């Protein structure tokens, strides 16, 4: 026994500073939780609200702290969404549909989601799809045409690319490599 009191909501991932705060001051605990979470990575308002709820911070206190953090610019869902789209599109090659899904799961307002994914236009999305296919094309050499098509189009589908675009990009890449694409329209 260390002699220190364990408070409700304590968890192994709670910081020592958070544990040492008086349980009578939930606003201070809420601020400490939010600051600690924001230190590592940007977070959405919903992510912070969920963390406060998990640590049994009263809803009215959580709302007050989160509103203040928004007022001073520590929480900015629009900036988060824009940075997320930029990072995940260029880093992972995700398409608008996949990015929108990820942002919705993070609790971003639908209007902000549309605004953020609107940063990407169809040309950018198609150019990224071409780059992804070009990188993966080498690893499919030696396979029959249909299997290559399924693998490449499947990879793009998992990243959220529309079926029509995925098939068009894969078909063009196969043609540029000298592969015959006759008859692909009917089967795919």
């Amino acid at each position: 026994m260390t002699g220190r009191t364990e408070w409700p909501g304590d968890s192994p991932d709670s910081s020592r500073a958070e544990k040492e705060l008086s349980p009578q001051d939930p606003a201070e605990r809420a601020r400490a939780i939010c600051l600690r979470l924001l230190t590592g990575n940007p977070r959405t308002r919903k992510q912070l609200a969920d963390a406060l709820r998990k640590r049994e911070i009263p809803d009215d206190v959580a709302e007050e702290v989160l509103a203040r953090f928004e007022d001073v610019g520590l929480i900015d869902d629009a900036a988060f969404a824009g940075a997320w789209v930029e990072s995940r599109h260029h880093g992972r090659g995700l398409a608008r549909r996949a990015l929108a899904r990820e942002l919705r799961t993070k609790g971003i307002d639908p209007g902000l989601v549309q605004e953020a994914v609107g940063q990407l236009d169809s040309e950018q999305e198609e150019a990224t799809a071409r780059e992804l296919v070009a990188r993966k094309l080498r690893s499919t050499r030696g396979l029959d045409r249909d299997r290559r098509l399924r693998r490449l189009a499947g990879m793009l589908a998992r990243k959220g690319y529309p079926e029509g675009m995925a098939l068009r990009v894969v078909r063009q890449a196969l043609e540029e490599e000298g592969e015959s694409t006759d008859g692909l329209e009917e089967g795919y």
Side-chain angles (χ1 to χ4, degrees):
M1 190 82 174
T2 63
R4 192 172 46 137
T5 305
E6 293 291 325
W7 305 111
D10 279 351
S11 65
D13 62 347
S14 296
S15 71
R16 184 174 63 227
E18 180 186 328
K19 289 178 183 175
E20 291 170 358
L21 288 172
S22 163
Q24 284 76 26
D25 192 1
E28 278 301 315
R29 280 190 65 227
R31 281 190 282 281
I33 292 166
C34 289
L35 287 172
R36 182 178 52 79
L37 290 173
L38 288 168
T39 298
N41 292 315
R43 310 278 177 157
T44 65
R45 181 184 174 103
K46 181 186 181 308
Q47 288 174 316
L48 293 172
D50 290 347
L52 295 176
R53 193 171 303 107
K54 179 179 160 192
R55 289 174 178 84
E56 300 178 0
I57 301 295
D59 288 344
D60 59 329
V61 173
E63 180 57 37
E64 180 183 314
V65 169
L66 293 172
R68 178 69 181 134
F69 273 49
E70 276 183 322
D71 290 345
V72 298
L74 291 173
I75 301 173
D76 185 346
D77 282 357
F80 177 94
W84 186 266
V85 166
E86 181 74 20
S87 169
R88 301 284 284 176
H89 177 72
H90 293 294
R92 305 273 318 264
L94 297 183
R96 289 180 287 194
R97 187 173 64 200
L99 292 166
R101 184 177 50 247
E102 287 184 349
L103 289 172
R104 282 191 303 271
T105 64
K106 295 196 170 296
I108 301 292
D109 177 78
L112 293 177
V113 169
Q114 289 307 315
E115 187 178 311
V117 298
Q119 295 175 25
L120 297 176
D121 60 28
S122 296
E123 291 84 31
Q124 282 178 297
E125 201 171 43
E126 190 162 329
T128 302
R130 289 181 195 292
E131 291 170 16
L132 291 168
V133 168
R135 277 189 257 154
K136 182 92 172 156
L137 202 58
R138 284 188 301 276
S139 69
T140 65
R141 286 196 183 112
L143 299 175
D144 67 81
R145 180 197 67 186
D146 291 344
R147 183 171 284 169
R148 290 181 87 187
L149 177 72
R150 281 193 306 273
R151 286 207 182 159
L152 295 168
M155 178 259 308
L156 290 177
R158 287 187 297 279
K159 291 183 178 284
Y161 288 89
E163 180 182 5
M165 177 192 291
L167 292 174
R168 184 176 64 252
V169 166
V170 170
R171 191 175 298 117
Q172 289 170 348
L174 291 174
E175 286 172 356
E176 288 171 7
E177 201 176 63
E179 185 89 49
S180 169
T181 58
D182 294 338
L184 285 182
E185 268 77 25
E186 299 84 34
Y188 297 96

